[in-house]
Amino acid sequence: MREVGVVAFAQSDCLAANRGDDMADILAPVIAEAVASLGIERSDIDFFCSGSHDFHEGRTFAYIESLDSVGAWPPISESHVEMDAAWAVNEAWSWLQLGEGDVALVYGIGRGSLATDPDQVSHTLLDPYYLAPLHPHRHAIAGLQAQALLAAGVTTEAALAQVVARSLAAALGNPHAQRSGSHAVHDLLAQPYVASPLRAHDAAPLGDAAAVLVLAAGDRARELAARAGRRPAWIRAMDHRMATHYPGSRDLTRLETVEVAAQRATRMAGFAPADVDVAELHTEYSHAEPMLVQALGLPVGTTLNPSGGPLAGNPTTATGLIRLGEAADRIADGSARRALAHATSGPALQHNMVSLLEGEE
Amino acid sequence: MSTSLTAPYTTAFDFERTVGPRIGVFLAGLRERRLLGVRGSRGRVLCPVAEFDPVTAEATGDYVELDPVGTVTAWTWVDPRPADPLDSPFAWALVRIDGADDSFFHRVDTGGDPSLLSSGLRVRVRWAAETVGSIEDIVCFEPVTDDEPSGSAPSGSAP
């Protein structure tokens, strides 16, 4: 395997709604910041890869607008995934592993705020025969999963409130966070349910932001990271697994896909999730954290979502990418030697990716 | 700060959708107010009918006629929204149909009373007044009352 690592990461502030900028305007300064930090031109980038959803834009090929901030002339090598841009990182990482080039830029642009009623959009992402026609409540499948976890004794409502309180307190130190604050658990538990046992704060807030990550290979990565005054965060392993989509077809209390992806990533990296200092987890709901901790085998003492995680900011389809960027930044700033980044896609954590990152010895 | 141009839009899928051969049989069964399951790998019975076994990805096999009765295995309580067919708060739930090995995702109506819901609650299908061959031919599930007889179809018989 080639050594491939993160050499730059930039993100815009997570806003509940950005009505002043279009997609290209949100993205352009973030790309400029990431590229400028490396002292290179956009023409020095061999591959561009992005992730976004048409659903929230309400039109096909919505992401084309974002290419205005990439500058696609003369023609560039470019690709896109119709899902969280964490999977665009996976594509770019694979592309670099194949020796197609040395530098790749990945971006995620999310504008979850565009829909006046997110409930009218969320069900269109589901199976068209058995689920979408019922237009379930936006949080229905997550609510079922949380209730099943409580019934199985995996977590409690108080523990979920503690996850929220810790995340929002951590987000006080994150200038990009959309939500942050000091909250007492008993105050959180006094809030009404939106889909029992979930309350509004148990769900990551939809919002608008962009994130950009630059990957580079081998000595080119060392050279670029040195220019940026940071350490490369080597991605030692990436693996993703998908379960069946129908929520009645699988045990919602167990994340077998995470277990398998973690085992495969461990073999590839030569170290396990239990060996990391920091884990950035794609928790679209508070109840995902205890499930992921269990499936990944993270010991007590692992720092979870020091950025505040998705409960503090959730720009649709950039959220998983931000987990990779935040994990890389913890290695770059020396607060972690090894880090894990998790990303998820689909209802009730259907599809999961585990990435293991490591700094230089 | 200026704001970008906006325009309203409505999401819709205004096209006929082709269903798979087995899902088609299942939906045609609903039109006749019959609930079918299908045999998956290792003899597991799947309801609703799947084209492929969710664990092994093998094509599913024979159909099994099931009583439209089952047990709630998980639920979440929500307020109704304008598009919902129920006016009072209800549950989204997983219901294990008697004789099936997986669970059915649908609404459960307890007349707006969340205290009636529990894991193990026995429920039966409430059919729509007019059935068209869609998952919406089932309006919801509702609690089985003690004095009503079980369904008429013998469990496990071929349709």
Side-chain angles (χ1 to χ4, degrees), chain A residues 257-283:
Chain A
T257 52
V258 175
E259 293 169 17
V260 174
Q263 286 162 8
R264 307 274 301 207
T266 299
R267 280 206 292 277
M268 198 187 294
F271 63 91
D275 301 322
V276 305
D277 308 302
V278 168
E280 277 283 345
L281 306 175
H282 191 164
T283 48

Side-chain angles (χ1 to χ4, degrees), chain A residues 241-262:
Chain A
R241 302 283 145 176
M242 196 189 306
T244 185
H245 70 278
Y246 192 70
S249 299
R250 54 188 163 106
D251 178 356
L252 292 182
T253 66
R254 187 179 160 203
L255 296 176
E256 208 176 345
T257 52
V258 175
E259 293 169 17
V260 174

Side-chain angles (χ1 to χ4, degrees), chain A:
Chain A
M1 286 219 321
R2 278 183 108 188
E3 281 187 305
V4 171
V6 179
V7 294
F9 174 62
Q11 59 179 312
S12 63
D13 294 347
C14 292
L15 303 175
N18 181 338
R19 287 290 173 272
D21 298 309
D22 66 12
M23 190 188 275
D25 284 333
I26 295 172
L27 183 60
V30 190
I31 289 185
E33 181 188 337
V35 173
S37 75
L38 301 170
I40 59 174
E41 301 292 324
R42 277 186 309 196
S43 56
D44 294 318
I45 292 161
D46 302 314
F47 183 53
F48 292 85
C49 199
S50 59
S52 70
H53 262 322
D54 289 342
F55 291 85
H56 299 279
E57 307 277 337
R59 58 205 164 104
T60 52
F61 288 96
Y63 94 101
I64 292 298
E65 190 185 296
S66 72
L67 289 173
D68 288 352
S69 16
V70 169
W73 185 263
I76 56 169
S77 179
E78 178 271 334
S79 182
H80 172 262
V81 298
E82 174 58 42
M83 58 197 304
D84 193 289
W87 274 268
V89 175
N90 188 252
E91 181 175 341
W93 180 77
S94 307
W95 193 88
L96 291 167
Q97 289 297 346
L98 292 168
E100 295 283 346
D102 295 324
V103 186
L105 183 145
V106 180
Y107 66 88
I109 170 88
R111 294 199 298 172
S113 80
L114 284 180
T116 315
D117 177 9
D119 264 328
Q120 288 185 39
V121 174
S122 58
H123 72 259
T124 63
L125 293 155
L126 300 170
D127 152 31
Y129 309 111
Y130 295 159
L131 297 175
L134 301 175
H135 45 82
H137 187 290
R138 178 155 63 102
H139 302 308
I141 296 175
L144 284 181
Q145 186 173 40
Q147 188 272 331
L149 286 170
L150 260 56
V154 174
T155 188
T156 62
E157 288 191 47
L160 297 185
Q162 281 161 356
V163 167
V164 174
R166 196 206 68 237
S167 299
L168 297 185
L172 288 166
N174 178 354
H176 305 294
Q178 178 179 327
R179 272 188 196 163
S180 63
S182 299
H183 297 277
V185 165
H186 63 84
D187 290 338
L188 294 173
L189 290 171
Q191 297 296 312
Y193 294 128
V194 292
S196 67
L198 298 175
R199 300 168 166 89
H201 53 248
D202 287 304
L206 286 179
D208 301 351
V212 173
L213 187 129
V214 181
L215 293 173
D219 288 342
R220 184 75 167 135
R222 290 185 182 88
E223 175 201 339
L224 292 180
R227 286 198 213 170
R230 62 185 279 156
R231 300 167 225 207
W234 303 112
I235 300 179
R236 299 295 190 203
M238 296 187 102
D239 193 273
H240 62 106
R241 302 283 145 176
M242 196 189 306
T244 185
H245 70 278
Y246 192 70
S249 299
R250 54 188 163 106
D251 178 356
L252 292 182
T253 66
R254 187 179 160 203
L255 296 176
E256 208 176 345
T257 52
V258 175
E259 293 169 17
V260 174
Q263 286 162 8
R264 307 274 301 207
T266 299
R267 280 206 292 277
M268 198 187 294
F271 63 91
D275 301 322
V276 305
D277 308 302
V278 168
E280 277 283 345
L281 306 175
H282 191 164
T283 48
E284 287 186 348
Y285 293 92
S286 58
H287 72 262
E289 186 178 293
M291 290 189 86
L292 288 163
V293 165
Q294 191 173 62
L296 292 164
L298 296 175
V300 176
T302 310
T303 303
L304 304 176
N305 287 349
S307 64
L311 295 174
N314 176 39
T316 328
T317 70
T319 308
L321 173 68
I322 291 171
R323 309 283 66 78
L324 276 149
E326 291 283 356
D329 276 359
R330 299 295 75 76
I331 286 169
D333 68 19
S335 59
R337 193 168 77 81
R338 287 170 169 168
L340 178 148
H342 159 261
T344 196
S345 186
L349 293 112
Q350 178 199 355
H351 186 180
N352 293 283
M353 183 159 70
V354 175
S355 306
L356 292 170
L357 293 85
E358 189 175 38
E360 296 277 26
E361 285 300 320

Side-chain angles (χ1 to χ4, degrees), chain B residues 136-159:
Chain B
E136 294 166 285
D137 291 347
I138 297 173
V139 177
C140 60
F141 287 79
E142 57 192 24
V144 173
T145 52
D146 290 339
D147 53 3
E148 64 180 271
S150 274
S152 52
S155 227
S157 65

